[in-house]
Amino acid sequence: MLAAVNASDALMLGFVSQESLSAVSLATQITFVFNLFMGGLTMGTSILAAQYYGKGDTLSIEKIFAYVTKVSFLISAVFFLASLFVPQLLMRIFTAEPRLIAGGILYLRIAAASYLFTGISQIYLCILKNTGHAVKSMIIGSTAVVINIFLNAALIYGIFFSPKMGISGAALATSISKLIELAWVHGESLRKNHVRLHGKFCFTGDRILSGDYWRYSLPMLGDYLVWGMGFTMYSVIMGHLGSDAVAASSIANIVKNLTREVTLCSITHLSVLSFLFSKSPILISEPTFPENHGRSAADAHPDDRAYERYPEWNRHFCDQCLKEYRRSHLKRG
């Protein structure tokens, strides 16, 4: 989703001018580095949130939610302040051409607020996804991308009674769409049976939970950053070769990034389906409850309610076992 936002900015500006395309492509490399941090943070959050959700420990999830949101906000604030006050220093990393630097400065200063919105909304979406609301998380994220694309078209080209803003319009569209995403996902978290962000947990730390979080997150964050920094060096090299090289590289990178996202999603879905088709018959028909070892669900005693005797087990898994037992029991009766 995050790759699609950057791709839509660059692609639409390509119809305005080559310099606009090149400038924004280089400026969005800052966003790319920011997304690397978000990827590492959300991966660690997903691991812990899924574990505690399976255990039914909502309190621990809320503590992790608050802690990671605080960390994410601090990282987002660094990118926000750098983009707002020293964008010229950031652009000089990627190019020495004054016109590209000027275009990148314009984009970064307007899009700076999007880092604050994204840093918080991505943690919200991560928690939502790992606490039984994955579909809603997908809908919110996808809708934000659609809104961004629509606003890009309106503000860049000046259609639908909007002013023609060019680079400024692309940056403004990104910030607005991320603000809408944050407002939506926050409102969703306030609904019944949803994990909420409590301010009191943002200022009271839990050393055990935070230690577990960094033990999972740091290796993945390091992996993301090492890979991403190496990948970003392509843009640094191309940026110093001139506008033509940047424009050609930008189009190639957009296609590559989108292809990678589609491929990763496809691999993930195929892996999940493969696991479900190969393992679900075993999980359902042969639950390894201590008192039922060696017996299938059809032979288990109807009073063997595993989710009551072993609350730390995944309740959804136990419910599936009981449904299979009842279905088999009725057939045998």
Side-chain angles (χ1 to χ4, degrees), residues 27-331:
T28 54
Q29 290 303 307
I30 306 300
T31 306
F32 174 73
V33 175
F34 172 73
N35 292 341
L36 296 176
F37 282 95
M38 292 299 102
L41 294 179
T42 54
M43 285 295 290
T45 305
S46 294
I47 293 173
L48 286 182
Q51 289 179 357
Y52 285 114
Y53 180 69
K55 188 179 179 181
D57 189 352
T58 303
L59 179 61
S60 294
I61 298 176
E62 291 178 341
K63 290 181 178 179
I64 287 294
F65 187 10
Y67 178 76
V68 180
T69 301
K70 178 174 64 177
V71 173
S72 180
F73 177 78
L74 293 176
I75 294 174
S76 302
V78 172
F79 280 85
F80 166 74
L81 294 174
S83 298
L84 187 62
F85 294 109
V86 289
Q88 63 276 9
L89 295 181
L90 299 178
M91 288 302 299
R92 289 185 189 280
I93 298 174
F94 296 98
T95 184
E97 293 198 14
R99 291 178 295 182
L100 297 185
I101 293 176
I105 290 174
L106 182 62
Y107 180 88
L108 286 174
R109 280 186 170 151
I110 299 176
S114 68
Y115 295 130
L116 296 177
F117 304 147
T118 304
I120 300 175
S121 67
Q122 288 302 304
I123 307 303
Y124 265 105
L125 290 172
C126 177
I127 292 294
L128 202 64
K129 177 178 63 177
N130 288 282
T131 54
H133 307 286
V135 174
K136 180 63 70 172
S137 175
M138 180 193 68
I139 292 173
I140 295 174
S142 301
T143 304
V145 173
V146 173
I147 292 173
N148 182 79
I149 294 174
F150 174 80
L151 292 176
N152 271 342
L155 297 175
I156 291 175
Y157 305 126
I159 59 178
F160 304 118
F161 305 103
S162 301
K164 186 176 181 180
M165 300 176 65
I167 292 177
S168 300
L172 183 59
T174 299
S175 296
I176 293 175
S177 64
K178 289 302 176 181
L179 177 60
I180 293 173
E181 179 183 70
L182 175 58
W184 188 355
V185 75
H186 174 68
E188 186 68 25
S189 71
L190 298 179
R191 299 180 64 180
K192 187 178 180 181
N193 297 325
H194 284 59
V195 175
R196 300 184 180 185
L197 178 63
H198 296 284
K200 62 180 180 180
F201 292 142
C202 293
F203 303 100
T204 57
D206 188 318
R207 290 188 177 182
I208 296 177
L209 286 177
S210 59
D212 289 342
Y213 173 74
W214 287 115
R215 186 169 66 252
Y216 289 122
S217 298
L218 281 178
M220 290 180 289
L221 181 59
D223 179 66
Y224 271 79
L225 292 178
V226 170
W227 170 81
M229 292 303 178
F231 191 79
T232 304
M233 289 305 299
Y234 285 106
S235 298
V236 174
I237 295 171
M238 290 295 178
H240 288 84
L241 294 178
S243 180
D244 292 339
V246 173
S249 176
S250 300
I251 297 300
N253 283 336
I254 289 171
V255 175
K256 180 165 59 176
N257 289 340
L258 293 178
T259 302
R260 184 180 70 247
E261 293 293 333
V262 172
T263 302
L264 289 175
C265 290
S266 300
I267 292 174
T268 301
H269 292 158
L270 288 174
S271 299
V272 171
L273 289 175
S274 176
F275 173 82
L276 291 177
F277 283 123
S278 62
K279 300 298 184 183
S280 57
I282 299 174
L283 293 175
I284 294 175
S285 63
E286 295 183 2
T288 55
F289 303 143
E291 68 270 36
N292 295 331
H293 186 69
R295 292 186 289 166
S296 66
D299 297 323
H301 193 276
D303 292 331
D304 291 332
R305 299 179 63 81
Y307 63 84
E308 292 179 356
R309 297 189 180 186
Y310 306 97
E312 70 276 9
W313 290 4
N314 191 308
R315 293 177 182 273
H316 175 72
F317 167 75
C318 295
D319 288 340
Q320 294 300 319
C321 294
L322 291 173
K323 289 179 183 178
E324 179 65 21
Y325 163 76
R326 295 189 185 101
R327 188 161 44 247
S328 301
H329 183 71
L330 290 174
K331 289 181 180 179

